[in-house]
Amino acid sequence: MNHPTSGTGPDTAAGPGTVRDDTEHTADTRRTADTGDAGRRLRAAFAEAAYGLTPPPVPLEAIEREGRSRRRRRRAAALSTGCALLLLPLVVVLALPSDGPSSTVRPMAPPKPSASASPSPPRLSTPMAGQVRVVESGEKVYVGDGTRIWLTEEGKYGDTPGVSEVPEFRSVVDGNLDRSRPGVSVQETARGPERSFLTGLYYGGRTEAAGVRIELYDGRTLDGTVVRLAGHKEWGGWYVLADVEAGVSNPGHTQGITRRVTVYDRDGGVVAALDLG
């Protein structure tokens, strides 16, 4: 009995298709090898050409000169801008029209005194008829109608026995008086229909008071009495008894006969003054 051939031998295993595949594979391998050789040759040619090139030197000096030139231009521009800003006010001032010497700046003229302002009392040229009483703290001074006044370090007191039970007090230390500048106060108390007791304080003086002069609305002038503490010249009191005449009161007030009070020193200089208009 004859068995078929197994086909495992070298001659029977290779058919016609197998021979063609080997031929194509060999051709592809050759083409790949040729392509690789061409790439290597091209790279070698580029490398040789690159090695043959020599780069030009970097122009360092030219770059430095250009940088210095740019910095100089920037500084010049900044300086010119600053000078222009500084000169601008001067240009504005010079551009203003000039009218000659009258266009110069002059201090503001002081305001003209108002019509209601009264001139300061003049220095006395003749002695005063009044007097000065220098007293100790708490020492009482008696006025002709029985009224008493006295001074302490705190201010001036006054009373009339049988008329006022509590003394009237005017302080010089409670802050109500501005003792940094000269001033005068005045009080008027009626003593019947025909007399009035005028009194007050003076303060802020730089010299010792030696007399007081009171001007009334009827045109009369009375010289009163200054009362001050021993060793004190900054403040003190004053008083006078005045006869009241019909029509003497100031028309602008409900009562009052005093128009002006001026305290003088021994040389006739004004220590302090009050003008009621």
Side-chain angles (χ1 to χ4, degrees):
M1 183 173 180
N2 295 328
H3 294 281
T5 305
S6 62
T8 58
D11 293 337
T12 58
T18 302
V19 174
R20 286 196 296 270
D21 291 339
D22 292 341
T23 303
E24 290 176 358
H25 177 71
T26 302
D28 291 340
T29 302
R30 290 175 180 174
R31 284 195 298 271
T32 302
D34 293 341
T35 301
D37 291 341
R40 284 192 294 272
R41 288 195 297 272
L42 183 59
R43 286 194 295 273
F46 282 151
E48 185 177 357
Y51 290 148
L53 294 177
T54 302
V58 179
L60 296 178
E61 295 183 0
I63 294 175
E64 291 179 358
R65 286 195 300 270
E66 179 64 21
R68 288 194 295 268
S69 177
R70 290 184 179 180
R71 287 194 295 272
R72 284 195 297 269
R73 287 196 296 269
R74 285 196 295 267
R75 284 197 298 268
L79 288 175
S80 61
T81 303
C83 292
L85 292 176
L86 290 174
L87 291 175
L88 181 59
L90 180 60
V91 172
V92 172
V93 172
L94 293 177
L96 294 175
S98 176
D99 296 330
S102 61
S103 62
T104 57
V105 178
R106 292 174 294 182
M108 183 180 295
K112 295 181 180 180
S114 60
S116 59
S118 300
S120 300
R123 176 183 292 270
L124 290 180
S125 58
T126 58
M128 300 184 65
Q131 60 179 334
V132 178
R133 295 287 302 272
V134 180
V135 298
E136 299 295 332
S137 179
E139 180 182 348
K140 293 178 174 59
V141 176
Y142 290 85
V143 184
D145 66 344
T147 300
R148 305 177 302 179
I149 65 173
W150 64 95
L151 306 179
T152 67
E153 297 290 339
E154 290 76 27
K156 182 177 75 70
Y157 294 81
D159 67 358
T160 303
V163 176
S164 55
E165 298 180 358
V166 179
E168 293 184 351
F169 173 64
R170 293 294 181 267
S171 175
V172 295
V173 296
D174 61 0
N176 290 326
L177 299 178
D178 183 7
R179 294 173 58 182
S180 65
R181 54 184 180 179
V184 178
S185 67
V186 60
Q187 299 167 251
E188 297 186 2
T189 304
R191 291 289 187 263
E194 298 181 351
R195 304 191 77 183
S196 182
F197 177 61
L198 313 179
T199 186
L201 289 169
Y202 69 89
Y203 48 88
R206 298 295 180 266
T207 56
E208 292 182 350
V212 58
R213 177 159 290 179
I214 302 96
E215 300 177 31
L216 305 182
Y217 281 108
D218 62 0
R220 288 183 297 157
T221 298
L222 306 176
D223 288 342
T225 301
V226 169
V227 182
R228 58 182 175 85
L229 289 174
H232 286 259
K233 64 179 181 181
E234 296 83 7
W235 70 275
W238 64 270
Y239 70 90
V240 69
L241 272 173
D243 294 332
V244 179
E245 299 180 359
V248 170
S249 297
N250 180 3
H253 298 75
T254 57
Q255 61 181 359
I257 62 174
T258 306
R259 178 177 183 180
R260 177 181 293 173
V261 180
T262 307
V263 179
Y264 294 92
D265 60 20
R266 67 183 61 188
D267 298 324
V270 177
V271 175
L274 171 67
D275 193 337
L276 297 174

